[in-house]
């Protein structure tokens, strides 16, 4: 982030966020899916030090409020952009497609049958107390998440994503959410089976 975004270039005082400042601007990063995680974390740490409310403890009340607001926004931005799923959903929301809006679904008919198969495998392995099979289900779901991330990255790299591919990306994010749940359920069931 250039100093002028958070601090006045003339007087050096902290400034409130500009209208429409998004998470990318908060961190001084380009608005794109392909972010370098190391650069994201480096910028977050650097800005956290500069904007932390403790640095403004003796400042006037207005500056203390701005510092607190900026620090909160910085934490929110880092949280939203460090996870590929949250970053993709955020980019889609900026483009006008709120993936996780209440009542919004991106049904994927091809995926419905696969979901039933996953749930059946999980239920059978859980009923049998088969921790090894549950671990295999979790590994398989994590691998599918990895492949989905690569697929979503390719789709965001396509310049048409903004207009043509956002529903397609949203469907993949819905799948990712499902795989996250499978991983969590399988790991929880595996731990319970091993503790018996």
């Amino acid at each position: 982030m250039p100093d002028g975004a958070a601090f006045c270039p003339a007087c050096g005082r902290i400034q409130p966020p500009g209208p429409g400042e998004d998470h990318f601007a908060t961190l001084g990063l380009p608005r794109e899916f392909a972010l370098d995680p190391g650069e994201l974390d480096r910028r977050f740490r650097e800005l956290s030090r500069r904007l932390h409310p403790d640095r403004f403890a003796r400042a006037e009340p207005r500056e203390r409020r701005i510092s607190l607001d900026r620090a909160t926004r910085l934490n929110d931005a880092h949280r939203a952009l460090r996870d590929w799923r949250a970053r993709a959903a955020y980019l889609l929301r900026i483009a006008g497609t709120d993936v996780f809006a209440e009542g919004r679904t991106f049904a994927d008919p091809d995926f419905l049958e696969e979901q039933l198969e996953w749930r059946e495998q999980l239920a059978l392995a859980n009923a049998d107390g088969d921790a090894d099979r549950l671990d295999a289900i979790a590994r398989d779901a994590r691998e599918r998440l990895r492949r989905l991330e690569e697929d979503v990255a390719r789709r965001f790299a396509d310049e048409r994503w903004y207009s043509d591919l956002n529903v397609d990306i949203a469907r993949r994010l819905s799948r990712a959410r499902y795989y996250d749940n499978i991983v969590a359920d399988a790991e929880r069931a595996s731990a319970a089976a091993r503790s018996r």
Side-chain angles (χ1 to χ4, degrees), residues 10 13 15 21 32 36 38 51-52 61-62 77 80 95 107 111 116 120 128 163 168 182 185 189:
R13 288 183 175 229
Q15 299 297 303
E21 182 176 302
E32 59 189 28
D36 175 3
L51 298 171
H52 196 279
R62 178 182 181 275
F111 189 52
L116 293 172
E120 185 176 319
D128 293 341
S163 59
D168 193 41
I182 289 291
D185 292 349

Side-chain angles (χ1 to χ4, degrees), residues 39-65:
E39 178 66 8
L40 174 71
D41 289 341
R42 185 190 68 71
R43 285 182 184 257
F44 172 71
R45 284 189 309 273
E46 174 188 317
L47 289 168
S48 291
R49 282 190 296 273
R50 295 182 67 209
L51 298 171
H52 196 279
D54 288 349
R55 293 189 67 145
F56 296 88
R58 294 190 173 150
E60 62 185 59
R62 178 182 181 275
E63 287 185 78
R64 288 196 307 265
R65 282 192 306 275

